[in-house]
Amino acid sequence: MQLQGKVALVTGAGSGIGKAAALLMAREGAWIAALGRNTEELEETVAAITQAGGQALPLGADIGDPDQMYRAVQQLIERFGRLDIVFANAGINGVWAPLEELSPADWTTTINTNLTGTFLTVKYAVPYLKQQGGAVIITSSVNGTRIFSNTGATAYSCTKAAQVAFAKMVALELARDKVRVNVICPGWIETNIDQNTEQRHLEEVKIPVEYPEGSQPLTVDKPGSPEQVAQLVLFLASDAADHITGTEMWIDGGASLLQG
């Protein structure tokens, strides 16, 4: 098992990429702290892990709330005694709208969840990661890193670009403590993130573009799966990636090369 004896904190672990990564890392021997806001979904993830013989702890918390995130990490340490891997995955699409219609509240909500949430997740984990070294993986996106044609996704794309800058800064800062920090940039993946997306009047600002047939070069018109992304997370969390830090990796079937 690649992660035997290690403890992993996974945010957004109740569904999609977070759940797939939590299940895969548990199968590879890690003890999992599954964090999210939907306690019912978290319990399902934890139950699947424990039924398979693994160890898991549900942590109900809002990643944008400093007090909740601090307490969640303390609960993790009280239960498992250490922390080796952080998968800062939770996030929202938020509101996609023309700039004039994007309210300060819309902007703040997306920034607080995606960017501040990443900061808080990593910040409170760092003292424990430093004790023996470890790995941080952050979920960014093709939006804001390779694709800029999704007009109206301004707040979302800004958070995704900022996550990459955050990772590079922190990777250098933590390198002496043997803590690696990397970023994954998924494209179209079959998840339920669209449930927290609100689109307003995008037809007014979107520039019409015709792509060649097939938006996904590797899979034509099929999205990637959470399980495929989980395999990348496992690699970056494992010792197989022990000389990789401060790096972003795109996992999108080549779509961003076509659409960027």
Side-chain angles (χ1 to χ4, degrees):
M1 293 187 180
Q2 298 182 62
L3 304 180
Q4 188 70 48
K6 295 187 177 181
V7 175
L9 169 63
V10 180
T11 69
S15 64
I17 294 171
K19 181 176 183 178
L23 295 177
L24 180 58
M25 288 195 285
R27 288 199 298 271
E28 289 294 330
W31 293 353
I32 305 296
L35 187 145
R37 291 189 296 182
N38 188 319
T39 54
E40 185 175 331
E41 289 183 342
L42 289 181
E43 291 292 351
E44 291 178 1
T45 300
V46 168
I49 292 171
T50 55
Q51 287 169 10
Q55 295 250 8
L57 170 70
L59 294 172
D62 179 347
I63 60 169
D65 186 299
D67 292 336
Q68 291 185 34
M69 288 305 295
Y70 175 79
R71 287 196 298 269
V73 173
Q74 296 310 304
Q75 290 173 347
L76 181 161
I77 296 301
E78 289 171 8
R79 168 71 179 271
F80 295 128
R82 62 183 291 158
L83 180 56
D84 305 272
I85 300 161
V86 174
F87 183 27
N89 165 73
I92 60 172
N93 275 350
V95 174
W96 291 21
L99 195 58
E100 298 96 319
E101 296 187 29
L102 191 66
S103 73
D106 297 333
W107 173 271
T108 299
T109 297
T110 305
I111 297 292
N112 190 58
T113 301
N114 293 353
L115 185 55
T116 303
T118 297
F119 160 71
L120 294 173
T121 301
V122 178
K123 170 184 171 60
Y124 292 126
V126 160
Y128 305 102
L129 292 170
K130 283 182 172 181
Q131 291 179 11
Q132 69 282 314
V136 175
I137 303 100
I138 297 169
T139 300
S140 177
S141 172
V142 294
N143 289 292
T145 58
R146 268 187 177 172
I147 292 179
F148 298 90
S149 54
N150 283 322
T151 310
T154 308
Y156 176 78
S157 293
C158 285
T159 63
K160 298 291 119 178
Q163 284 177 314
V164 174
F166 173 82
K168 291 177 184 291
M169 292 295 297
V170 176
L172 193 58
E173 179 180 336
L174 299 179
R176 70 187 67 184
D177 296 297
K178 306 303 179 185
V179 177
R180 299 180 292 103
V181 184
N182 291 294
V183 183
I184 62 169
C185 301
W188 181 25
I189 306 297
E190 196 169 11
T191 70
N192 63 3
I193 193 170
D194 287 343
Q195 294 177 8
N196 58 49
T197 307
E198 181 180 346
Q199 297 186 357
R200 303 177 191 157
H201 304 125
L202 294 180
E203 67 280 357
E204 298 176 5
V205 292
K206 194 167 186 64
I207 299 172
V209 177
E210 291 187 11
Y211 296 113
E213 184 176 350
S215 61
Q216 308 281 348
L218 279 181
T219 57
V220 189
D221 286 316
K222 294 181 180 179
S225 70
E227 289 74 22
Q228 287 174 311
V229 182
Q231 291 289 344
L232 176 57
V233 175
L234 173 62
F235 167 69
L236 291 172
S238 74
D239 290 342
D242 63 2
H243 201 53
I244 302 174
T245 195
T247 298
E248 62 269 50
M249 294 187 179
W250 288 271
I251 178 165
D252 66 345
S256 61
L257 299 175
L258 178 69
Q259 299 175 17

